[in-house]
């Protein structure tokens, strides 16, 4: 049967379902072609959804059935096997139903037991229909569970007098939730009606409040979608403010649902422990105190290495500040490391570690002193990541070739936008090592001279001139707050760039935000121009399911001498629809306010430049050649250089030995704390090697614009 074997295609960029299998249709609820609408009556629905299994298997079509009477979400391999035993099922009493923020099709069902289904509908409307029906069923069976297990606590209501008078509310204040939905107290079909828990349900009030909030959210959506769509003087469902209200309401409910799910997992674990059942080690508060107070990892003390635990090195000469080291370019070789970072995929195996950590955090909490699990680490230091922003040095050195201030500003914007894909390794949801104070990183690039070699349109001549050399040095100049300084120069082109960055991380519910606080300055000595610029924020999204990273925020670039400036906007994905990783930019002349160039596209994909002349230019950052950096072998590096410092952690990660990597990481962090305590006791200030404090920032101590010898040699 050829029609039955057609493949299912899923769009890579947005995760959209392109087509359903032949002879399979989206879930219909057996409603006879009924359009997707909100209704407050319980409804048995069934149909095909995609279910995420694991990183290897990925997404698979399964036939799902919502059994309202039993309070179960069941699934089968296909519709024909519905008469057989379900392949799996989740009880919905106490469950949390959450639309995903990664696209408009995906949602999760988190059972009170901790089991989770990650599902994907064919479109946003079908997702909303499933979410709405599941939430109604969940609310009913959660209340039934609460009645069979009453708690002696006071009950609250989110329905206030003011909300009752709101024009968006359809519920009379005298109506209870049960009366509104037409439920009776003794619902015989509930799987929980005859079950009595031995432990009090401390989250009963929270679940009741959540159920009422979900009901008010549905009322709000129904009221907005019930407005007349015809154009007129009144409001319409497409009013921008109402669309924003819908998105904000749904985002709020999603975040609250995830938080309630974490609390439910904790309660289940404690009840199991009290009843003599299996315990969940990550819920012990003692470990959490160690994570937050001492900075040790929850995995750090589990598995000793061969020959016993690694010794804690005492502070020695190699870890203290020293004079600047002169790096001989002849010692550097082309980087041979070919490590490719795999995305985290589904984090089911490490989910307990993440939940344990999240349960101890508060919204807006600074994560600077919180040590994150080792399995999320990249195999490079943050200082090396900054160096990887220079992976297209041929674009960097040609900025100064612009024949006008306008051209040079546009060239710098192009270089800036193309730097993040390789520096950030795409959207991979891993983080580099946090540098140790005093840690340094050195490297360089060789860039062929001449437009032919730069554009890759011809073979270099038989006697090619010596290539340009771009040198890079980075140093971790502060530990609290964590501040890095990095500097790059090309003496032959009379250009250099100096940057200082303070990475400030915050917990944002189901995301982690990293603000890149600081400023950079590009110096074009030939033209006596300085271009100041800032950096975007980074966000790790969906940290409980399949983590991914996006950039967000506005970046400003300005050259005071020429009067040209640019505003770059990294757009985070909106809650409803939209594409990932979008970026837009405008270059304008300040005195005339004339826009001379516009850019749109994706920072990790295709960028389109539009000029006032009507011409356009398309740049695919994934196809740009990457110039390998040149680094010294580890045996020739100083003890505090990144690759030598982190070599044991990196090697353990390559071998996928997380325990060993964690132990090596712990030793480095403990040594840093010991040195910090010693400096505090002896009142010895920290002295940097390569960067000096200047006002609120940090500047390289021997920059090209101060080094007269280098400057004169270039003339």
């Amino acid at each position: 049967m050829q029609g039955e074997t057609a493949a299912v295609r899923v769009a890579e960029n947005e995760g959209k379902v392109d087509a359903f299998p032949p002879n399979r249709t989206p879930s219909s609820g057996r409603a006879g072609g009924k359009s997707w609408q909100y209704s407050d009556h319980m409804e048995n629905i069934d149909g095909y959804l995609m279910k995420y299994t694991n990183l290897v298997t990925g997404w698979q079509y399964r036939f799902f059935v919502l059994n309202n009477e039993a309070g179960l979400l069941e699934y089968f391999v296909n519709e024909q096997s519905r008469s057989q035993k379900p392949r799996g099922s989740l009880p919905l009493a106490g469950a949390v139903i959450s639309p995903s923020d990664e696209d408009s099709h995906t949602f999760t069902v988190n059972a009170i037991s901790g089991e989770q289904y990650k599902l994907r509908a064919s479109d946003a409307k079908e997702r909303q229909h499933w979410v709405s029906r599941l939430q109604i069923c969940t609310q009913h069976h959660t209340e039934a569970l609460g009645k069979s297990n009453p708690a002696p606590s006071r009950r609250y209501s989110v329905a206030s007098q003011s909300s009752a008078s709101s024009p968006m509310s359809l519920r009379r204040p005298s109506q209870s939730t049960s009366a509104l939905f037409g439920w009776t107290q003794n619902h015989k079909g509930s799987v929980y009606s005859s079950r009595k828990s031995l432990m009090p349900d401390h989250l009963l009030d929270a679940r009741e409040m959540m159920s009422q909030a979900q009901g008010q959210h549905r009322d709000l959506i129904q009221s907005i979608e019930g407005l007349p769509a015809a154009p007129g003087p009144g409001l319409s469902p497409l009013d921008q403010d109402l669309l924003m209200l819908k998105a904000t309401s749904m985002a709020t409910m999603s975040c609250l649902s995830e938080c309630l799910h974490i609390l439910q997992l904790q309660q289940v674990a404690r009840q199991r422990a009290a009843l003599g059942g299996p315990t969940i080690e990550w819920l012990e508060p003692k470990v959490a105190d160690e994570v937050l107070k001492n900075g040790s990892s929850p995995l750090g003390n589990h598995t000793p290495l061969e020959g016993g635990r690694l010794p804690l090195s005492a502070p020695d000469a190699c870890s203290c500040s020293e004079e600047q080291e002169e790096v001989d370019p002849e010692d550097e070789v082309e980087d041979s490391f070919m490590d490719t970072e795999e995305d985290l995929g589904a984090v089911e195996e490490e989910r307990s570690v993440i939940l344990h950590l999240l349960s101890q955090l508060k919204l807006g909490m600074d994560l600077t002193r919180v040590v994150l699990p080792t399995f999320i680490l990249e195999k490079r230091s943050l200082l090396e990541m900054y160096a990887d922003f220079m992976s297209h040095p041929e674009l960097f050195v040609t900025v100064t070739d612009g024949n006008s201030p306008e051209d040079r500003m546009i060239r710098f914007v192009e270089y800036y936008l193309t730097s993040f894909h390789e520096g950030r390794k795409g959207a991979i949801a891993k983080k580099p090592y946090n540098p140790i104070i005093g840690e340094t990183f050195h490297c360089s690039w060789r860039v062929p001279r001449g437009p032919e070699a730069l554009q890759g349109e011809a073979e270099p001549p038989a006697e090619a001139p010596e290539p340009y050399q771009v040198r890079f040095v980075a140093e971790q100049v502060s530990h609290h707050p964590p501040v890095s300084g990095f500097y790059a120069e090309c003496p032959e082109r009379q250009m250099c760039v100096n940057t200082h960055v303070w990475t400030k991380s915050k917990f944002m519910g189901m995301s982690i935000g990293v603000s890149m606080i600081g400023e950079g300055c590009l110096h074009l000595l030939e033209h006596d121009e300085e271009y100041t610029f800032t950096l975007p924020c980074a966000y790790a999204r969906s940290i409980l399911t399949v983590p991914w990273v996006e950039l967000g925020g506005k970046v400003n670039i300005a050259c005071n001498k020429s009067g040209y400036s640019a505003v770059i906007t990294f757009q985070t994905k909106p809650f409803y629809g939209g594409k990932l990783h979008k970026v837009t930019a405008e270059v304008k002349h300040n005195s005339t306010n004339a826009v001379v160039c516009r850019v749109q596209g994706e920072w990790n994909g295709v960028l389109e430049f539009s000029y006032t002349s009507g011409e356009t230019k398309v740049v695919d950052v994934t196809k740009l050649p990457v110039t390998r950096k040149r680094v010294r072998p580890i045996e020739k590096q100083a003890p505090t250089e990144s690759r030598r410092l982190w070599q044991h952690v990196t090697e353990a990660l390559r071998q996928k030995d997380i325990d060993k990597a964690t132990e090596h990481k712990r030793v480095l962090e403990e040594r840093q704390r010991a040195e910090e305590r010693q400096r505090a006791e002896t009142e010895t200030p920290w002295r940097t090697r390569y960067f000096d404090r200047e006002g609120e920032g940090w500047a390289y101590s021997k920059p090209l614009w101060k080094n007269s010898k280098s400057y004169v040699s270039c003339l």
Side-chain angles (χ1 to χ4, degrees), residues 187-483:
H187 187 69
K188 297 181 181 180
S190 173
V191 294
Y192 293 95
S193 60
S194 60
R195 184 180 301 175
K196 196 168 186 178
S197 173
L198 299 178
M199 298 289 292
D201 184 1
H202 300 293
L203 293 178
L204 178 61
D205 290 338
R207 275 195 290 268
E208 287 185 352
M209 293 177 68
M210 190 69 187
S211 295
Q212 292 185 40
Q214 288 173 341
Q216 291 187 337
H217 168 71
R218 287 194 298 271
D219 288 348
L220 172 68
I221 302 299
Q222 185 180 22
S223 298
I224 294 176
E225 295 183 348
L227 292 171
L235 291 174
S236 76
L238 300 181
D239 182 83
Q240 291 297 316
D241 291 336
L242 293 183
L243 290 175
M244 180 62 70
L245 180 61
K246 285 173 58 177
T248 303
S249 178
M250 183 163 288
T252 302
M253 295 305 302
S254 176
C255 185
L256 289 174
S257 297
E258 292 283 3
C259 294
L260 180 59
H261 180 56
I262 293 174
L263 295 175
Q264 289 173 339
L265 291 177
Q266 287 184 304
Q267 177 172 272
V268 170
R270 293 192 177 107
Q271 288 181 351
R272 288 176 178 173
L275 295 175
T279 60
I280 302 180
E281 183 176 344
W282 52 267
L283 286 169
E284 294 298 327
K286 180 178 179 182
V287 179
D289 291 340
E290 293 177 358
V291 172
L292 296 175
K293 295 178 181 178
N294 299 330
S296 57
S297 168
L299 297 174
N301 300 323
H302 287 187
T303 307
L305 302 181
E306 296 180 6
R309 296 179 61 83
L310 284 172
L312 176 61
S313 302
D316 51 28
C318 71
S319 61
C320 299
S321 57
E322 302 172 352
E323 296 300 323
Q324 290 191 14
E325 180 185 12
E326 294 295 334
V327 177
D328 187 352
E330 297 300 322
D331 290 339
E332 294 180 328
V333 296
E334 190 172 279
D335 191 8
S336 60
F337 287 168
M338 297 295 293
D339 288 330
T340 56
E341 294 292 345
E342 299 176 354
D343 213 333
L344 284 173
V347 293
E348 293 301 323
E349 294 182 2
E350 298 87 4
R351 184 183 178 87
S352 61
V353 178
I354 297 178
L355 280 171
H356 155 68
L357 193 61
L358 295 185
S359 65
Q360 307 301 319
L361 304 180
K362 297 179 180 179
L363 288 176
M365 181 177 180
D366 186 358
L367 302 182
T368 302
R369 297 177 183 269
V370 178
V371 178
L372 299 178
T374 305
F375 68 85
I376 70 171
L377 295 178
E378 293 183 38
K379 295 184 281 290
R380 61 174 177 170
S381 170
L382 179 66
L383 299 185
E384 184 170 355
M385 187 195 81
Y386 291 141
D388 288 335
F389 285 137
M390 301 286 297
S391 293
H392 304 304
E394 70 282 358
L395 295 178
F396 174 72
V397 299
T398 56
V399 172
T400 193
D401 286 337
N403 54 22
S404 67
E406 174 185 324
D407 189 19
R408 290 191 289 275
M409 174 62 79
I410 294 174
R411 285 172 179 248
F412 181 52
V413 169
E414 179 180 348
Y415 161 72
Y416 187 95
L417 288 173
T418 57
S419 65
F420 289 97
H421 175 253
E422 188 63 24
R424 201 28 268 157
K425 300 294 184 186
I428 287 179
K430 290 188 177 182
K431 70 176 293 296
Y433 311 139
N434 288 331
I436 304 297
I437 187 170
E439 178 182 335
T440 61
F441 184 80
H442 298 266
C443 68
S444 67
W445 296 265
R446 291 183 177 177
V447 184
R449 297 176 185 247
E452 297 83 3
L454 290 174
Q455 297 175 9
E457 295 179 354
E459 292 294 328
E463 296 182 0
E466 283 293 318
Y468 298 126
Q469 187 174 56
V470 178
R471 301 207 53 77
F472 177 92
V473 58
E475 180 182 4
Q476 189 70 8
V477 297
S478 172
H479 181 48
H480 292 302
V483 180

Side-chain angles (χ1 to χ4, degrees), residues 25 28 76 206 422 627 648 668 672:
T25 58
S28 63
F76 306 83
E422 188 63 24
T627 302
H648 300 300
L668 290 175
Q672 180 176 225

